[in-house]
Amino acid sequence: MKARFRRMATWVWPDTLFRRLAIILFAGLLAAHVLSYSLVALNVFGLSNEAGDDYFMRYIATAVAILDRVKPEERPAWLDRLARPTYRYILREEGETEAAPPKRRQDNLARLRAMIGPGHEAKSVFYLDPQDRRRLGWLVHLKDGSPLMLQFVARRTVISPWLPAAFAAQLFALAFFTWIAVKLATQPLVRLERAANTLGSDLRREPLPEDGPKEVARAAAAFNAMQRRIAEQAVERIQILAGISHRLQTPITRMRLRADFLGDGDAREKLQGDLQEMQTLVKQGLALARGHDEIGNQRCQTDLHALIDSLVCDYSDAGKSLRFSGERGVTILTHPQASRRIMINLIDNGLKFGEDVEVAIDARQSNRITITVSDRGPGIPDEHLVSVFLPFYRVEASRNRETGGTGLGLAIAQQLASALRATLTLANRDGGGLEARLEFLR
């Protein structure tokens, strides 16, 4: 019940600033428009009733005067000339007298009697039309006593036929210009939202234009300052990690040389393995820190099929077995070295912890290209599918040198995918195994 109420509330009062401003502005303009139209209509139509009735009575009095002055045999020829779209005249008496006419009709009949003068009679009657429908008419007697029937065949129109169309066109114009005004007012906020969403993946992007209203310009200036500070901190972090990596390489190399002189072969082998693991960890940590900085704007049209096919050939030359399928000639604007690093990390992960590794390219969708790396290994528990992208996160504490794994491979792949504005996800396969999906938007 609460969910239904929230949906109804969202429908009545939307959750976006653009729609809220559009509703408020359009409602205000519509209310002002309707109020102005009502006041004009009241001023025009309210005052025109008495003037219209007086004009109508004068027109009937003129018709009666004309028929009084022409010969009786000439009167039928004048009836069509005197008729109007809303009423007509006939030279006969019919119908029953209206017992209690409304006050306005009584006033009009009294006014008509005063205009046509003595010797005439005017009253309201009801008659039956050819379809036996009860209609209203007025019965007037000419000076010679001949009856003249005024039959109302249609209602008088007080609104011009084009007025509703004009009102609808004005409402459309109000809605259109309201949409334009709100669009222009919220466009800086849309730019700010897009810049905030891409801030983590592109710290070198162009700063936001600091123009427009003061509030928007100040927000853009604050965002640009924040972007500069984050970029400076990221550069500082990379410099620190690069320095640490450089400083660690030398003592690790010396330790590996000294380990060669150890007499105990088993101890020497273990020490060499530990040093190799330390060196790998340092290199991958540096790669993680430099992930965004190395990409920058160095993107180009890349043939994904050729890139992955070269990787598969390299693995085959190294004695690794994996299958590759996909459409040829699939190109996309990306950073080839970063894309290659992502694929290497995903394929290595599949070969280390699974078997029957397959790489596939799916370009059937018009708006995206999907690369999948699937295996038939043990998979990953569902509760860990998101956490494995965190640096140094391991699902199993038992991973050792034989299986490899520093906990940085997937983190580096995720970071590079984010920098390339791609999406990297993991999912367990039916029948066992893991599937990594890398999606690029065209």
Side-chain angles (χ1 to χ4, degrees), residues 3-131:
R4 183 179 179 183
F5 178 77
R6 283 195 297 268
R7 286 195 300 268
M8 293 179 60
T10 303
W11 183 81
V12 175
W13 187 243
D15 56 356
T16 62
L17 181 62
F18 176 83
R19 294 180 180 178
R20 290 183 179 182
L21 288 178
I23 289 177
I24 293 173
L25 184 58
F26 181 74
L29 291 175
L30 179 62
H33 186 67
V34 172
L35 180 60
S36 301
Y37 178 81
S38 301
L39 292 176
V40 171
L42 179 63
N43 181 63
V44 173
F45 300 144
L47 296 179
S48 65
N49 284 335
E50 184 174 354
D53 289 346
D54 184 72
Y55 177 79
F56 181 53
M57 296 304 107
R58 290 180 181 277
Y59 204 94
I60 297 175
T62 301
V64 171
I66 292 174
L67 294 176
D68 272 337
R69 284 168 174 75
V70 298
K71 298 178 180 180
E73 60 272 12
E74 296 177 358
R75 289 172 182 171
W78 280 88
L79 297 182
D80 291 337
R81 301 178 187 177
L82 299 173
R84 291 294 179 267
T86 57
Y87 60 89
R88 66 187 176 187
Y89 297 97
I90 60 174
L91 296 170
R92 66 173 181 267
E93 181 177 354
E94 61 180 18
E96 57 178 295
T97 303
E98 185 179 13
K103 184 178 185 304
R104 181 179 175 184
R105 195 173 300 153
Q106 293 179 11
D107 294 340
N108 288 335
L109 288 172
R111 190 181 306 169
L112 177 60
R113 296 188 191 100
M115 290 180 180
I116 60 180
H120 298 81
E121 178 61 30
K123 61 181 178 179
S124 177
V125 296
F126 288 107
Y127 69 96
L128 296 179
D129 64 6
Q131 285 77 31

Side-chain angles (χ1 to χ4, degrees), residues 312 321-325 356-360:
V312 172
S321 177
L322 67 157
R323 293 177 289 118
F324 174 51
S325 62
D356 190 22
V357 179
E358 180 181 3
V359 183

Side-chain angles (χ1 to χ4, degrees), residues 80-287:
D80 291 337
R81 301 178 187 177
L82 299 173
R84 291 294 179 267
T86 57
Y87 60 89
R88 66 187 176 187
Y89 297 97
I90 60 174
L91 296 170
R92 66 173 181 267
E93 181 177 354
E94 61 180 18
E96 57 178 295
T97 303
E98 185 179 13
K103 184 178 185 304
R104 181 179 175 184
R105 195 173 300 153
Q106 293 179 11
D107 294 340
N108 288 335
L109 288 172
R111 190 181 306 169
L112 177 60
R113 296 188 191 100
M115 290 180 180
I116 60 180
H120 298 81
E121 178 61 30
K123 61 181 178 179
S124 177
V125 296
F126 288 107
Y127 69 96
L128 296 179
D129 64 6
Q131 285 77 31
D132 291 335
R133 289 176 298 187
R134 198 164 183 257
R135 294 296 186 96
L136 178 67
W138 287 358
L139 179 61
V140 179
H141 286 90
L142 302 177
K143 285 185 177 181
D144 60 1
S146 300
L148 177 64
M149 189 76 173
L150 176 65
Q151 294 182 345
F152 297 101
V153 295
R155 296 179 61 87
R156 283 190 297 169
T157 57
V158 295
I159 299 179
S160 300
W162 51 265
L163 192 58
F167 187 73
Q170 289 178 346
L171 289 181
F172 177 78
L174 282 178
F176 177 72
F177 288 109
T178 297
W179 182 84
I180 291 180
V182 176
K183 189 73 173 179
L184 292 176
T186 57
Q187 190 65 33
L189 297 179
V190 175
R191 291 199 301 264
L192 182 60
E193 178 193 6
R194 292 173 180 171
N197 288 333
T198 59
L199 179 62
S201 61
D202 188 6
L203 293 176
R204 295 181 176 181
R205 61 170 294 146
E206 291 294 326
L208 289 174
E210 300 177 8
D211 53 9
K214 290 184 178 180
E215 295 81 1
V216 175
R218 291 171 183 170
F223 180 86
N224 292 335
M226 179 185 67
Q227 179 175 317
R228 288 193 297 269
R229 289 195 299 269
I230 295 176
E232 293 170 358
Q233 292 173 1
V235 171
E236 183 180 359
R237 183 190 67 171
I238 293 172
Q239 292 175 346
I240 292 173
L241 288 177
I244 293 174
S245 174
H246 179 72
R247 294 296 180 89
L248 285 177
Q249 290 287 352
T250 302
I252 290 176
T253 302
R254 290 200 302 263
M255 292 173 66
R256 296 185 67 177
L257 290 174
R258 291 171 182 172
D260 291 337
F261 295 98
L262 291 177
D264 190 345
D266 184 59
R268 181 175 64 249
E269 183 180 350
K270 291 181 179 179
L271 182 57
Q272 289 283 9
D274 289 338
L275 292 173
Q276 179 63 37
E277 187 175 354
M278 290 174 60
Q279 196 167 26
T280 301
L281 183 61
V282 169
K283 290 181 178 179
Q284 290 196 351
L286 185 60

